């Protein structure tokens, strides 16, 4: 039986909650280092707190993906996980900026780290079923439309979430500085707004989307009722998984090298952009990120707090910029890849990202300029405004990272093991971030003496190594349509 086509707005409803999820995720990426620093985390220890994100992704996504495949209840198949993850993520977003209120139970920065783990784990619980929901609900002839809408909502959410603290400072007039050991009101209210948007948009999808009953789903997808699964011990399952892992296709191994350099660099950007531009462009010395030094002070000088607040807000602007540039490049990525080849397109995109990271060190002009943004005028160092230039390259790299590895990988996987190998491929995203989290802080402390701008240059070098590694990937080149797979 042919699966029925859906009206446009029903396809939109299926993915609408992803806007709120991505808004929350963008707030996390742009502001968690700022929050943890405000709560007392040392600069070189930030990457250790951020380890929660890839570890949660590594653990949660395969488990939730497999569990949602087997779930059929009154709420649905994917919707229970989408709604449950959204509720948990919203709770984490509400609690994290209020970590200083829980000082009687534990150190605020430790509580903040726990909330980061809760948020990221919950985001992963929600994201995996959202991707599967499109595949479930949308027929083949509307699949392009379904994932195009999802990609559009992802990027809209990323832009809104990234700029929200800046808007609250410059349009609403909230304070972007905070007393020692607390979080700025702009960040706190941005997390409140993000939590509300996440929950309401996900609730819209859950209410407005009715999943198919198992019998209908099997007919539409040409499946027979599944036979009872053979029970296997944990040892047998691990053994089967290990066999698949060591026998992974050669192309997958080659892509893993590229992924390592790419995601190692991205993790550094998310963790260290805020301290890097605060030091490099706003001229704030590294000692103002040293927890021991800050503990010896009763208060933080107003000019230091103001500079750190302004730099933190501006990080949201440049992160929104790379999301916007990524969205624009995604529109033409398929045509470019079809004309010049996937490998060349992928490699040059990573090269653009690497050069973008490395060029951060070139922009240090402290001259204050007046900038008209939306309905307000702000004063920022000229060097900060010039940072929008490297965001073009980083946005191009981000768009390629979300699409090109999957397009190359898909042609090398056996049809009956595509799902499990895609799950294994997620390790190539989490593992480099874990390695980066373990060693980047030590490199920053002992090699770069807490001058964070140099760790971004290192990220650029790694991204360029990723571009070179693409040359060694074997790709069964075909004309293909690219679908963004990440967040």
């Amino acid at each position: 039986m042919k699966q029925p086509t859906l009206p446009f707005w029903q396809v939109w409803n299926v993915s609408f909650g992803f806007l709120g999820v991505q808004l929350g995720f963008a707030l996390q990426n742009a502001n968690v280092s700022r929050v943890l620093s405000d709560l007392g985390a040392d600069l070189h220890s930030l990457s250790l707190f951020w380890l929660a994100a890839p570890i949660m992704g590594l653990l949660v996504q395969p488990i939730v993906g497999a569990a949602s495949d087997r779930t059929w209840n009154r709420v649905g198949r994917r919707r229970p996980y989408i709604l449950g993850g959204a509720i948990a993520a919203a709770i984490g977003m509400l609690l994290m900026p209020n970590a200083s209120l829980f000082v009687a139970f534990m150190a605020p920065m430790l509580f903040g780290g726990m909330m980061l783990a809760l948020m990221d784990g919950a985001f992963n619980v929600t994201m995996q079923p959202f991707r599967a929901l499109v595949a479930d609900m949308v027929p083949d002839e509307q699949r392009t439309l379904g994932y195009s809408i999802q990609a559009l909502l992802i990027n809209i959410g990323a832009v809104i979430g990234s700029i929200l603290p800046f808007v609250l400072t410059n349009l609403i007039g909230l304070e972007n500085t905070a007393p020692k050991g607390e979080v700025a009101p702009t960040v706190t209210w941005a997390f409140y707004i993000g939590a509300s948007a996440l929950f309401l948009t996900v609730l819209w999808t859950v209410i407005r989307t009715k999943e198919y009953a198992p019998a209908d789903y099997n007919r539409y997808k040409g499946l027979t009722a599944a036979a009872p699964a053979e029970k296997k011990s944990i040892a047998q399952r691990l053994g089967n998984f290990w066999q698949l892992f060591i026998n992974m296709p050669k192309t997958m191994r080659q892509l893993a090298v590229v992924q390592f350099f790419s995601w190692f660099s991205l993790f550094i950007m998310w963790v260290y952009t805020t301290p890097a531009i605060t030091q490099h462009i706003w001229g704030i010395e590294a000692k103002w990120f040293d927890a021991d030094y800050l503990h010896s002070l009763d208060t933080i000088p107003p000019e230091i707090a103001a500079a750190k607040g302004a730099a933190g807000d501006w990080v949201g602007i440049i992160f929104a910029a790379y999301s916007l540039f990524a969205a624009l490049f995604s529109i033409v990525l398929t045509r470019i890849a079809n004309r010049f080849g996937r490998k060349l397109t992928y490699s040059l995109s990573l090269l653009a990202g690497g050069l973008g990271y490395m060029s951060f060190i070139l922009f240090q002009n402290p001259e204050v300029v007046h900038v008209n943004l939306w309905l307000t005028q702000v004063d920022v160092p000229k060097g900060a405004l010039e940072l929008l230039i490297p965001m073009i390259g980083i946005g191009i790299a981000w768009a390629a990272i979300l699409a090109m590895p999957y397009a190359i990988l898909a042609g090398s996987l056996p049809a009956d093991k595509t799902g499990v190998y895609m799950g294994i491929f997620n390790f190539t995203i989490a593992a480099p971030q874990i390695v980066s989290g373990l060693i980047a802080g030590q490199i920053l402390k002992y090699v770069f003496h807490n001058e964070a701008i140099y760790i971004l240059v290192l990220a650029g070098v790694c991204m360029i190594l990723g571009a070179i590694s693409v040359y060694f990937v074997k790709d069964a080149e075909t004309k293909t349509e690219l679908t963004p797979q990440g967040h």
Side-chain angles (χ1 to χ4, degrees):
M1 182 180 294
K2 183 176 174 58
Q3 184 172 350
T5 58
L6 302 178
F8 172 86
W9 289 112
Q10 186 57 51
V11 179
W12 175 276
N13 291 338
V14 168
S15 288
F16 185 65
F18 222 131
L19 185 150
V21 175
Q22 190 63 29
L23 193 157
F25 190 77
L27 275 170
Q28 172 186 292
N29 280 351
N31 294 283
V32 161
S33 287
R34 177 182 180 179
V35 170
L36 293 174
S37 293
D38 288 343
L39 294 175
D42 263 325
L43 188 62
H44 61 269
S45 66
L46 284 177
S47 61
L48 298 178
F49 284 100
W50 271 87
L51 280 174
I55 290 174
M56 294 306 292
L58 189 65
L59 295 175
V60 168
Q61 285 210 21
I63 294 173
V64 171
S68 70
D69 281 342
R70 299 191 298 269
T71 297
W72 296 97
N73 58 35
R74 293 169 62 184
V75 179
R77 186 186 192 195
R78 315 292 183 184
R79 289 185 299 170
Y81 299 92
I82 292 172
L83 182 59
I87 292 172
I91 291 172
M93 294 182 71
L94 293 173
L95 292 178
M96 185 173 191
N98 293 295
S100 59
L101 300 178
F102 296 85
V103 68
F105 305 99
M106 65 183 70
M109 63 179 178
L110 179 59
F111 183 84
M114 291 176 58
M115 290 305 100
L116 171 60
L118 173 62
M119 284 192 304
D120 204 273
F123 288 146
N124 279 284
V125 169
T126 304
M127 286 176 177
Q128 185 72 15
F130 250 123
R131 296 188 184 109
L133 185 63
V134 173
D136 290 351
M137 299 299 301
V138 178
D140 288 343
E141 61 267 27
Q142 290 185 300
R143 191 69 51 81
T144 300
L145 174 64
Y147 280 109
S148 296
I149 290 173
Q150 191 170 95
L152 173 64
L153 292 168
I154 285 172
N155 286 297
I156 291 174
V159 171
I160 295 173
S162 296
I163 68 173
L164 194 51
F166 181 91
V167 170
L168 292 175
T169 298
N170 295 283
L171 286 183
I172 308 302
L174 293 181
E175 184 62 48
N176 68 349
T177 61
K180 177 183 168 184
E182 298 183 18
V183 177
T186 50
V187 177
T188 299
W189 278 100
F191 272 72
Y192 291 168
I193 294 170
S196 301
L198 187 156
F199 178 73
L200 291 175
T201 57
V202 167
L203 189 62
W204 179 272
T205 287
V206 170
I207 292 174
R208 303 289 292 182
T209 301
K210 183 179 180 181
E211 294 184 79
Y212 296 119
D216 292 334
Y217 178 84
N218 289 333
R219 285 198 300 271
Y220 294 150
K221 302 299 182 182
L223 302 174
T224 57
E230 178 186 354
K231 292 186 178 181
K232 295 182 179 180
S233 67
I234 294 177
Q236 288 175 315
R237 292 179 180 180
L238 289 176
N240 291 342
F241 179 85
W242 178 246
Q243 286 298 318
L244 288 171
F245 187 85
I246 62 176
N247 293 318
M248 70 175 66
K250 186 176 181 180
T251 298
M252 190 169 173
R253 296 178 186 274
Q254 295 163 340
L255 281 170
V257 178
V258 184
Q259 289 278 89
F260 178 86
F261 289 120
S262 302
W263 286 93
F264 187 96
S265 302
L266 288 168
F267 188 84
I268 287 175
M269 177 186 72
W270 291 328
V271 176
Y272 290 115
T273 297
T274 297
I277 73 168
T278 305
Q279 294 173 1
H280 189 65
I281 295 177
W282 268 263
I284 303 304
E285 296 178 63
K287 68 180 182 180
W288 294 105
F289 292 87
D290 184 277
D292 292 334
Y293 179 74
L294 293 176
H295 288 160
S296 68
L297 303 175
D298 293 328
T299 60
I300 298 175
E303 65 276 11
I304 300 297
K308 293 176 74 172
D313 286 348
W314 194 254
V315 168
I317 294 296
I318 62 176
F319 276 23
Y322 90 73
S323 296
L324 179 60
F325 292 134
L328 295 175
F329 186 65
S330 296
I331 296 172
V332 299
L333 181 57
T334 300
R335 292 182 181 179
I336 294 174
N338 283 339
R339 180 166 183 177
F340 298 103
R342 287 191 294 242
K343 285 177 56 175
L344 181 59
T345 302
Y346 190 15
S347 181
L348 291 179
S349 297
L350 296 183
L351 176 62
L355 294 176
Y357 285 129
M358 295 179 71
S359 68
F360 265 61
I361 201 169
L362 302 177
F363 304 106
Q364 200 178 11
N365 192 334
E367 177 188 352
V368 174
V369 295
H370 304 290
V371 182
N372 288 309
L373 289 175
W374 300 290
L375 302 176
T376 188
Q377 185 179 80
V378 296
D379 296 335
V380 296
K382 190 174 182 181
L385 186 62
E386 292 168 343
L387 283 180
L388 294 174
I389 298 172
M391 289 299 117
I392 298 173
I394 293 170
I396 289 172
W398 178 236
I401 289 168
L402 294 182
M404 296 305 300
Y406 298 91
I408 294 172
L409 178 65
S412 69
L413 298 179
D416 61 335
K417 294 182 176 65
T418 298
V420 66
Y421 273 125
M422 283 293 186
I424 292 174
F425 195 61
N426 189 57
F427 288 13
T428 69
I429 295 175
Q433 293 183 74
I434 293 172
V435 173
S436 184
L438 291 173
I439 69 174
Q442 303 307 307
I443 294 172
L444 177 61
K445 182 177 181 180
Y446 295 107
V447 178
F448 299 136
H449 307 292
N450 284 335
E451 295 291 339
I453 191 66
Y454 297 110
I455 202 78
L456 291 183
V457 175
L458 175 64
V461 172
C462 290
M463 191 70 83
I464 291 173
L465 291 175
I468 296 171
S469 302
V470 175
Y471 174 80
F472 301 98
V473 175
K474 181 181 179 182
D475 179 21
E477 188 77 38
T478 57
K479 305 297 183 183
T480 188
E481 184 174 320
L482 307 177
T483 299
Q485 299 292 322
H487 46 262

